[in-house]
Amino acid sequence: MNKAFKLGVTALVAISFGGVTATTADAATWHKGLPKFVRNKKFRTKFENKYKEYTWARGTKRTFSIKHTQADIDVAKNVKYQKKGKTYLIRGTYPDRATHKLFAKYYRVRKISNKKIKAGFGKRGKLMTMTKFKHFPRIKGQIWN
């Protein structure tokens, strides 16, 4: 009876510890693509000076870019995003034209409302408030994008 009792206790302990598995939720998961509130939409800041310059952002399912009207555009491809509090950190690859190497490019996006976001370059820094729009504005017949 002593052996049966020990075997029963051992089986009970093994089942109780074996049935409890440690599941860890990884909060730092990178998801493919962009968050839905940014996909297939264009956002822009207010005009910044008398020359009607502004900064705009555009996202598709697998690309994201932020561009100033007087600067070159850098399109981050194969983007992934990670939620950090209320802000989404977006990571993509950017091919350098001169060396043909891929570099990591980071953006941050925060949803304010259905028509407004805050977006910025890099992992830190200032976020710009942007409003959703459909068509690029025309200035003296020229499309500014």
Side-chain angles (χ1 to χ4, degrees):
M1 187 101 119
N2 196 8
K3 286 184 180 182
F5 180 72
K6 287 181 182 178
L7 239 153
V9 170
T10 307
L12 185 63
V13 170
I15 290 173
S16 66
F17 282 118
V20 178
T21 58
T23 57
T24 58
D26 190 10
T29 303
W30 287 94
H31 306 282
K32 288 184 180 180
L34 281 178
K36 288 188 179 181
F37 68 92
V38 181
R39 282 187 203 164
N40 301 320
K41 294 178 180 76
K42 293 181 265 190
F43 298 91
R44 75 172 178 88
T45 61
K46 292 182 179 180
F47 291 126
E48 296 170 3
N49 53 28
K50 67 179 184 177
Y51 300 112
K52 308 282 190 207
E53 294 179 351
Y54 60 93
T55 304
W56 60 269
R58 178 179 62 195
T60 63
K61 187 175 181 181
R62 301 290 289 163
T63 64
F64 186 75
S65 60
I66 296 178
K67 181 190 182 300
H68 190 73
T69 52
Q70 300 295 325
D72 246 354
I73 187 167
D74 295 338
V75 179
K77 298 180 180 181
N78 300 324
V79 294
K80 298 176 181 180
Y81 71 93
Q82 178 183 30
K83 188 170 183 181
K84 294 194 173 212
K86 295 180 181 180
T87 305
Y88 291 85
L89 180 64
I90 298 170
R91 178 181 71 187
T93 56
Y94 169 69
D96 186 19
R97 294 178 187 165
T99 61
H100 301 291
K101 291 183 180 180
L102 295 175
F103 294 99
K105 192 103 172 152
Y106 289 93
Y107 299 102
R108 287 178 302 130
V109 177
R110 178 183 295 171
K111 181 179 179 179
I112 297 174
S113 69
N114 287 336
K115 294 188 177 189
K116 286 191 176 189
I117 63 168
K118 285 191 171 201
F121 297 99
K123 294 182 180 179
R124 294 177 187 84
K126 188 177 177 183
L127 294 174
M128 302 171 279
T129 303
M130 298 183 169
T131 308
K132 185 177 164 182
F133 73 103
K134 290 187 179 186
H135 303 287
F136 286 105
R138 290 183 179 267
I139 299 173
K140 296 181 182 176
Q142 179 185 1
I143 296 177
W144 278 60
N145 60 354

